[in-house]
Amino acid sequence: MNKFMCTAAAAAFSLFATAQEKADSAKIDILLLPNVELNEVNVLGTWAQKDDPIAQINLTEKDVEALNTGRDLPYVLQDVAGVVSFSDAGNGIGYTNMRVRGSDITRINVTVNGIPMNDAESHGVFWVNTPDLMSSTNAIQLQKGVGTSTNGSGAFGASLGLSTLGAGEKGGRITLGAGSYGTQRATMEASTGKTASGFWMNTRISSITSDGYVERASSDLQSYYVSAGFAGGGHYVEAVRFGGGERTYQAWYGVDSTTMYGPDAYPQFNAAGVLYDDTWSVIGTYDDQVDNYGQEHTQLHYRYSNLFGGTFAAALHHTAGAGYYEEYNQGFAFADFGIGNYVSAMDTVAFGDVVTRKWLDNDFYGATSSWTYENGGQRVQLGGGVHRYEGAHFGRVIWANNPNVSTLDGDYYTGDAVKDDANIYAKYALTSNNLLVYADAQYRYVNHSSTGGSATGPANFDRTFNFFNPKVGMTYNLGGNQVFGAYAGIGHREPNRTDLQYADDANALQAERMLDMEFNFRNSGEKWAFDVNAYRQQYQNQLVLTGAIDAQGYPIRENVGQSFRQGVEFTGAYELTSALSATTNVALSQNENVNWVSDPLSSFVDNTPIAFSPGAVASARLTYAKKGFEATLWNQYVGKQKMSNEGLEAHSLPAYHIINARTQYTWNCSDMQRLIGFVEFRNLGNTSYAANGYMWGDFAYYYAQATFNIMTGLTFEF
């Protein structure tokens, strides 16, 4: 089978593989258990090796290409068992996000080339700040649960590693795309390949724009990527620089239940930027209710292949980010923005309209290193990293309907934050006959301090945490392509900035602790393969979403005493004919707070569901591929979720089921040139649904996702 034509089916099946094992059948090996060569990332020290007892999913460069339609990583991974993806704008462009086993992005450790990507304070990853990064990504690994030791924030839901390293193939690629809601995409890439002298260079520029499914939820995303490297004489050096800018109209508020599901439903309504008269009738919108942010990432990687018999790798990194979100504040007290009252017709006017820009200007820098030694059946990895974050938070008034505001100099709030993060780890694996034994231990130090204020009030705290995170596991080959694996690991995670800021006593807020236990069995035959993974995640002092958000759209969390997640994930693949194949995956789980207390003055409540944790997530694909043509029918079901931890029916996010289809054709113009065209039909059933939401007191709000829409694309490779 032509490697390039292992399109959506092969990508989907490789997504589902929780460990890599060659099967007897080459076709099944392609479909479900590809022999992923992680090349450059093998020596980063933070990725699991294919035989390690870590629940993992690996995507190759071809997999990423087949799934990359301009939407961000959460939609590339939406086929994975237990993954739920969603976006503010509703069509997967702009602010996008994901959950794994019910855990949101603040609990998913994300690295690019081993460098942490999670924001040091919020723990979030904002894919909108690195648009079209998928076009420069050549491998992805998703580890579920605690996983293996890595750099950056602790992994409670998953660890997600992206690799952009390596020379790539000589040539170029131009991709143009267009779709519903005014969506347009243009990407240009070029690579020298590795020259005879060992040098290479890769470049990319991208532009993605969209009006969004939700009103005014527009996105204007520009980005670039450039890398240059050398390999020779046992040395490997590569410099990487990527970044860009985004201007995204806010769509953070969602819609209430009547607007989402009522008889006169209008889920595309966007309350952000809406202007009202004295009777609260809509009179217009503010054109610049936008998020405007730029981020630049610089990395320098070095590797030496023979240091004390092992491979040494090190990296320096710096991320610079600056930007603001602009907001029209109608009917607010002038005093909230440091503005005095004024007298009009003998009356003192204390309230009015104010336009603000809330700024964040930050730097994140540090170093990582690792040493990997392999001898016979033994593997030793030693590594760690040191990182510092420095962030300035400040707000500025750029306009007010107040005659006393003659100058706009100065800030109405300022705050400074510093966070230091350092870790060391040691990993050991021993393979003997059919048994692999794995051990991993990490020590992590964190200090997070903040002074001054923020857009939502004072932010003064200084907390230090010391964590020890051990992991052990084994895999055993039972023969006949049957493999059994077991894993247990402990992870810790510090509170984020919002947690500390909103806590009644920041010094009393506890770090989270999780014991993660995973059991895996996989088997394959000539035309079939399946994988079953069972897990239990036991939490102590888990910081869970209350369902509420603050004025900036960040979720509010609080400690609970005991909680747990447990479930079973099943993935299966079957080759019906040489051209027709099918896959399915099902994730069934139970996610509960134990004796949840919603009010300290009340008696305890029985076990309640953890917010945003559906008990069932399932999908299936049917793919036909032959002689350059491919057609795929795909559907996903996500069960009902609670949007708070109260367990109340009124706080529910309804279940939904969506169906998508895609056709693609590849023309081989010559040995060096080819043309690939595709059409993707999303939400064929025209279903009106919400994949995310929040509670504001007793009121539920929902983020509507797009009904039927289309995306097309054409790629020319040379």
Side-chain angles (χ1 to χ4, degrees):
M1 182 183 292
N2 185 297
K3 290 183 179 180
F4 181 80
M5 293 309 298
C6 300
T7 51
F13 304 144
S14 65
L15 282 171
F16 302 141
T18 57
Q20 306 305 311
E21 183 73 19
K22 290 185 179 180
D24 289 340
S25 167
K27 292 180 179 178
I28 291 297
D29 187 62
I30 291 173
L31 291 177
L32 185 62
L33 303 172
N35 183 22
V36 176
E37 293 297 336
L38 300 179
N39 51 66
E40 311 304 341
V41 299
N42 273 326
V43 297
L44 292 176
T46 58
W47 284 43
Q49 302 301 296
K50 65 180 182 179
D51 294 322
D52 290 345
I54 308 295
Q56 60 181 275
I57 297 94
N58 291 293
L59 278 72
T60 66
E61 185 172 7
K62 294 301 183 184
D63 299 333
V64 177
E65 288 177 3
L67 295 168
N68 180 19
T69 60
R71 298 193 290 183
D72 275 320
L73 185 74
Y75 287 86
V76 172
L77 295 176
Q78 65 180 338
D79 274 352
V80 177
V83 171
V84 177
S85 305
F86 48 89
S87 74
D88 286 5
N91 65 330
I93 295 175
Y95 273 88
T96 62
N97 217 320
M98 61 186 287
R99 295 190 179 95
V100 178
R101 294 180 177 173
S103 294
D104 65 20
I105 193 66
T106 67
R107 296 170 174 277
I108 301 172
N109 172 281
V110 181
T111 58
V112 174
N113 304 325
I115 305 301
M117 286 288 287
N118 297 74
D119 177 76
E121 293 202 284
S122 72
H123 295 175
V125 176
F126 304 96
W127 303 107
V128 71
N129 295 336
T130 54
D132 206 22
L133 182 59
M134 292 302 95
S135 291
S136 298
T137 298
N138 55 42
I140 296 175
Q141 184 179 83
L142 176 68
Q143 303 174 22
K144 294 184 179 180
V146 170
T148 185
S149 293
T150 185
N151 296 306
S153 57
F156 265 41
S159 293
L160 180 60
L162 284 69
S163 170
T164 69
L165 299 178
E169 296 181 2
K170 181 179 179 180
R173 178 188 296 142
I174 298 174
T175 299
L176 301 175
S180 302
Y181 319 118
T183 301
Q184 298 183 43
R185 177 194 181 195
T187 301
M188 292 187 292
E189 307 167 68
S191 175
T192 63
K194 188 175 180 181
T195 67
S197 56
F199 288 92
W200 69 84
M201 184 173 183
N202 303 309
T203 61
R204 171 184 58 82
I205 57 173
S206 301
S207 174
I208 300 174
T209 59
S210 178
D211 296 332
Y213 167 70
V214 174
E215 287 181 334
R216 303 184 310 285
S218 60
S219 299
D220 187 355
L221 315 177
Q222 315 296 321
S223 67
Y224 69 91
Y225 177 93
V226 59
S227 68
F230 166 80
H235 299 277
Y236 174 101
V237 181
E238 185 167 10
V240 177
R241 173 102 171 172
F242 63 93
E246 56 91 5
R247 178 182 169 91
T248 306
Y249 198 97
Q250 297 170 22
W252 299 338
Y253 300 148
V255 295
D256 60 28
S257 58
T258 300
T259 307
M260 182 72 212
Y261 298 112
D264 298 318
Y266 185 55
Q268 299 102 309
F269 177 73
N270 185 5
V274 171
L275 305 179
Y276 303 90
D277 63 15
D278 292 339
T279 65
W280 288 101
S281 297
V282 176
I283 58 173
T285 58
Y286 182 63
D287 290 341
D288 293 321
Q289 189 93 356
V290 297
D291 181 72
N292 195 322
Y293 194 81
Q295 197 172 74
E296 312 287 338
H297 299 257
T298 304
Q299 302 176 358
L300 178 61
H301 296 269
Y302 171 74
R303 183 170 76 244
Y304 180 55
S305 61
N306 189 20
L307 180 66
F308 303 116
T311 300
F312 172 75
L316 300 174
H317 70 88
H318 176 246
T319 300
Y324 61 84
Y325 72 90
E326 188 168 325
E327 194 160 32
Y328 194 103
N329 306 274
Q330 194 168 13
F332 278 72
F334 289 129
D336 291 344
F337 306 98
I339 301 173
N341 302 335
Y342 71 93
V343 177
S344 174
M346 305 305 294
D347 291 328
T348 299
V349 180
F351 294 84
D353 299 347
V354 178
V355 176
T356 58
R357 286 181 176 174
K358 299 180 176 74
W359 279 84
L360 177 62
D361 188 349
N362 54 25
D363 290 276
F364 177 64
Y365 52 91
T368 66
S369 64
S370 67
W371 179 71
T372 301
Y373 174 82
E374 296 188 57
N375 183 14
Q378 298 186 80
R379 183 178 76 246
V380 177
Q381 290 178 292
L382 305 175
V386 292
H387 317 278
R388 166 163 280 205
Y389 168 91
E390 299 172 352
H393 304 255
F394 53 97
R396 292 176 176 168
V397 174
I398 65 170
W399 176 86
N401 61 343
N402 184 320
N404 293 333
V405 180
S406 57
T407 65
L408 300 176
D409 296 333
D411 304 323
Y412 71 92
Y413 72 83
T414 59
D416 293 300
V418 175
K419 186 173 182 181
D420 292 316
D421 185 333
N423 85 95
I424 56 173
Y425 60 79
K427 305 176 186 180
Y428 177 76
L430 172 65
T431 302
S432 178
N433 296 323
N434 294 325
L435 177 67
L436 180 145
V437 178
Y438 176 88
D440 179 348
Q442 179 194 51
Y443 166 73
R444 182 166 175 252
Y445 165 86
V446 176
N447 176 261
H448 189 184
S449 63
S450 174
T451 58
S454 72
T456 55
N460 296 290
F461 53 82
D462 189 342
R463 291 296 309 275
T464 298
F465 300 91
N466 293 275
F467 301 135
F468 176 63
N469 302 314
K471 302 105 178 169
V472 295
M474 54 80 67
T475 58
Y476 187 75
N477 192 328
L478 302 171
N481 297 321
Q482 300 180 79
V483 180
F484 173 78
Y487 166 91
I490 292 176
H492 292 84
R493 189 170 181 80
E494 72 278 12
N496 64 24
R497 177 185 175 90
T498 303
D499 299 330
L500 293 167
Q501 180 180 350
Y502 284 112
D504 293 333
D505 181 359
N507 291 321
L509 197 63
Q510 299 296 308
E512 302 173 279
R513 180 181 185 273
M514 182 178 77
L515 170 62
D516 178 26
M517 293 178 289
E518 310 266 347
F519 301 93
N520 175 262
F521 177 75
R522 61 186 185 271
N523 196 4
S524 60
E526 184 179 353
K527 294 182 177 295
W528 56 270
F530 72 86
D531 186 296
V532 180
N533 194 74
Y535 66 91
R536 181 177 174 93
Q537 297 173 333
Q538 184 72 43
Y539 295 91
Q540 180 69 40
N541 294 320
Q542 184 185 16
L543 284 160
V544 300
L545 298 169
T546 64
I549 60 173
D550 67 14
Q552 299 181 83
Y554 291 116
I556 296 173
R557 307 186 302 174
E558 59 185 52
N559 279 128
V560 297
Q562 297 281 345
S563 55
F564 67 88
R565 302 182 188 273
Q566 61 185 15
V568 177
E569 298 161 335
F570 171 84
T571 297
Y574 190 78
E575 186 180 90
L576 300 167
T577 70
S578 61
L580 185 64
S581 57
T583 62
T584 185
N585 75 78
V586 179
L588 303 175
S589 63
Q590 180 186 14
N591 311 275
E592 291 195 359
N593 306 297
V594 179
N595 296 338
W596 165 259
V597 178
S598 59
D599 183 343
L601 301 179
S602 70
S603 60
F604 73 85
V605 180
D606 287 340
N607 291 8
T608 62
I610 299 176
F612 300 105
S613 302
V617 179
S619 69
R621 275 184 182 259
L622 186 65
T623 301
Y624 178 85
K626 190 172 184 178
K627 295 183 178 179
F629 174 77
E630 175 218 332
T632 300
L633 187 67
W634 168 80
N635 73 103
Q636 183 185 46
Y637 170 83
V638 177
K640 184 168 68 174
Q641 309 169 55
K642 295 293 193 272
M643 295 192 296
S644 78
N645 292 284
E646 307 297 322
L648 300 177
E649 192 63 29
H651 295 188
S652 295
L653 186 65
Y656 61 88
H657 177 220
I658 54 174
I659 303 173
N660 304 300
R662 174 189 173 102
T663 62
Q664 177 174 301
Y665 192 80
T666 300
W667 294 267
N668 290 308
C669 308
S670 68
D671 290 341
M672 298 296 295
Q673 298 178 343
R674 57 185 169 184
L675 190 65
I676 307 105
F678 80 90
V679 180
E680 191 167 271
F681 304 92
R682 302 167 180 167
N683 197 351
L684 286 170
N686 202 35
T687 302
S688 179
Y689 73 102
N692 190 31
Y694 65 94
M695 297 300 301
W696 189 263
D698 291 328
F699 298 97
Y701 290 84
Y702 305 89
Y703 294 98
Q705 303 300 287
T707 52
F708 175 72
N709 64 103
I710 298 174
M711 186 67 189
T712 64
L714 193 65
T715 297
F716 177 58
E717 295 183 347
F718 55 91

